[in-house]
Amino acid sequence: MRTMKAAVFVEPGRIELEERPIPDIGPLDALVRITTTTICGTDVHILKGEYPVRRGLVVGHEPVGVIEKLGAVVQGYEEGQRVIAGAITPSGHSYASLAGCNAQCGAGTRHGFKPMGGWRLGNTIDGCQAEYVRVPDAMANLEPVPDALTDEQVLMCPDILSTGFAGAESGRIRIGDTVAVFAQGPIGLCATAGARLRGASTIIGVDGLPDRLAMARRLGANHVIDFHQVDPVDEILRITDGRGVDVAIEALGTPQTFEACLRVLRPGGVLSSLGVYSSDLRLPLGPFAAGLGDHTIVTSLCPGGKERMRRLMHVIAAGRLDLESMVTHRFKLDDIRAAYDLFAHQRDGVLKVALTP
């Protein structure tokens, strides 16, 4: 039996490199040889036991690679072709997928909808922090990488770029809007970039790390706020002359940042939530206007599928956005523990790491 190296969730606090069989594939699947992948904040939630997955699962959900083998009925692709797949891998045929809700794909369920059902890689099936990964429903999920783009140029497309842009899209940002983005980690930075591309005229980025605030400015923030220095709610209300923002994007996943978003939102504004929460949220009565403030609160999970990947790579290929500089550190798969330690503790100015076999 042929084997591969894979990063495996052992127990809370432990992700270890193990030898695993190279995955078998079904008729609709593809086997992809990983050339580059990365670590996501959600993987850190898994490592810490804050998001439950089964023990023994291969983690990771951001694959860039080469098709090693195609399922018997897969058409339109070739072995040896460079591809990416989104972190969300919908079936393409469930009621949820056909309704445009790929992330909530419930293929095989009675009604065709399942919360987070489209997130399979590194969640319900083995993921891609390995030498090989099985991509299910390949014809719905694999998108060829243009020859002119490198692995690191497209590495953000499977998850953080798709998710960050979704925060801006779900927020219904319009030309001339004022937008606040709470947290300038990788997803928040992509939300900042998405707000700029959608035409926001004033973008306010909030974080506590100088390197991230500097990157936020590069990606389109007009104002940056270090929450160690000033209260971000007070400062945003000062910047907006007490009006508040049209759209507030929560990109961290804590009750405190969610509440802060609500406190800076103007009446009738949109709170666009991207965070993965591990505790209950609270709606403060005043900012919530007793439920009568015409606020919209919307949540988003990373949109997936090959059409989403095609569009994101076209943004990069057209020169509208360059996220390659977000790759601040590089590791071999053999050094997976060191990579997680650095990323989880946010040392040395890390934004994203690139993992290669």
Side-chain angles (χ1 to χ4, degrees), residues 13 39-41 43-45 47-48 209 212 329 336-351 353:
I39 298 173
C40 177
D43 297 323
V44 176
H45 284 297
L47 171 64
K48 293 179 178 179
L209 297 176
R212 295 188 173 195
H329 295 75
I336 191 71
R337 292 178 65 182
Y340 265 95
D341 185 66
L342 174 76
F343 188 73
H345 292 94
Q346 295 296 296
R347 293 197 305 270
D348 194 27
V350 64
L351 280 174
V353 303

Side-chain angles (χ1 to χ4, degrees), residues 41-60:
T42 307
D43 297 323
V44 176
H45 284 297
I46 290 172
L47 171 64
K48 293 179 178 179
E50 297 169 347
Y51 182 86
V53 299
R54 64 174 171 82
R55 299 188 182 204
L57 182 79
V58 178
V59 292

Side-chain angles (χ1 to χ4, degrees), residues 81-217:
Q81 194 171 23
R82 291 178 67 221
V83 290
I84 63 171
I88 301 300
T89 51
S91 66
H93 58 75
S94 69
Y95 287 112
S97 287
L98 295 173
C101 297
N102 281 331
Q104 315 304 326
C105 177
T109 65
R110 180 183 174 192
H111 299 292
F113 286 82
K114 181 181 179 182
M116 301 181 292
W119 177 25
R120 294 189 276 181
L121 295 176
N123 183 28
T124 58
I125 67 174
D126 283 338
C128 61
Q129 288 174 18
E131 293 180 291
Y132 295 88
V133 66
R134 175 180 73 89
V135 176
D137 297 298
M139 288 185 289
N141 291 299
L142 288 184
E143 179 60 23
V145 177
D147 291 340
L149 296 181
T150 67
D151 280 15
E152 291 191 5
Q153 283 179 293
V154 302
L155 182 58
M156 308 306 157
C157 293
D159 187 356
I160 69 160
L161 183 56
S162 187
T163 301
F165 274 18
E169 292 162 325
S170 297
R172 304 197 300 265
I173 293 171
R174 298 179 298 177
I175 291 172
D177 270 352
T178 297
V179 178
V181 183
F182 279 79
Q184 295 296 307
I187 286 177
L189 287 167
C190 290
T192 295
R196 177 179 61 84
L197 288 173
R198 285 185 65 90
S201 59
T202 303
I203 303 170
I204 306 165
V206 180
D207 206 277
L209 297 176
D211 289 345
R212 295 188 173 195
L213 293 173
M215 181 66 75
R217 282 199 181 276

Side-chain angles (χ1 to χ4, degrees), residues 149-343:
L149 296 181
T150 67
D151 280 15
E152 291 191 5
Q153 283 179 293
V154 302
L155 182 58
M156 308 306 157
C157 293
D159 187 356
I160 69 160
L161 183 56
S162 187
T163 301
F165 274 18
E169 292 162 325
S170 297
R172 304 197 300 265
I173 293 171
R174 298 179 298 177
I175 291 172
D177 270 352
T178 297
V179 178
V181 183
F182 279 79
Q184 295 296 307
I187 286 177
L189 287 167
C190 290
T192 295
R196 177 179 61 84
L197 288 173
R198 285 185 65 90
S201 59
T202 303
I203 303 170
I204 306 165
V206 180
D207 206 277
L209 297 176
D211 289 345
R212 295 188 173 195
L213 293 173
M215 181 66 75
R217 282 199 181 276
R218 290 177 57 186
L219 293 177
N222 307 94
H223 305 271
V224 295
I225 297 172
D226 184 341
F227 62 75
H228 295 301
Q229 304 297 323
V230 295
D231 181 276
V233 172
D234 291 343
E235 184 66 7
I236 289 170
L237 292 177
R238 185 194 67 78
I239 291 170
T240 61
D241 195 27
R243 176 182 183 273
V245 300
D246 300 289
V247 181
I249 300 176
E250 199 290 322
L252 184 61
T254 69
Q256 294 80 13
T257 46
F258 184 92
E259 182 173 332
C261 282
L262 194 56
R263 289 186 180 278
V264 302
L265 198 61
R266 66 157 171 83
V270 181
L271 194 167
S272 180
S273 172
L274 297 173
V276 179
Y277 302 98
S278 55
S279 62
D280 291 341
L281 297 175
R282 172 180 173 270
L283 296 177
L285 185 63
F288 192 51
L292 303 175
D294 285 331
H295 297 116
T296 298
I297 297 175
V298 59
T299 65
S300 301
L301 176 57
C302 173
K306 67 181 182 183
E307 170 62 3
R308 179 69 168 184
M309 297 300 105
R310 182 191 70 82
R311 287 176 175 270
L312 296 178
M313 287 194 289
H314 274 213
V315 171
I316 294 169
R320 300 296 302 279
L321 183 63
D322 180 5
L323 296 179
E324 195 171 3
S325 59
M326 288 182 65
V327 179
T328 54
H329 295 75
R330 294 162 181 84
F331 291 86
K332 291 293 186 181
L333 188 59
D334 285 339
D335 300 319
I336 191 71
R337 292 178 65 182
Y340 265 95
D341 185 66
L342 174 76
F343 188 73

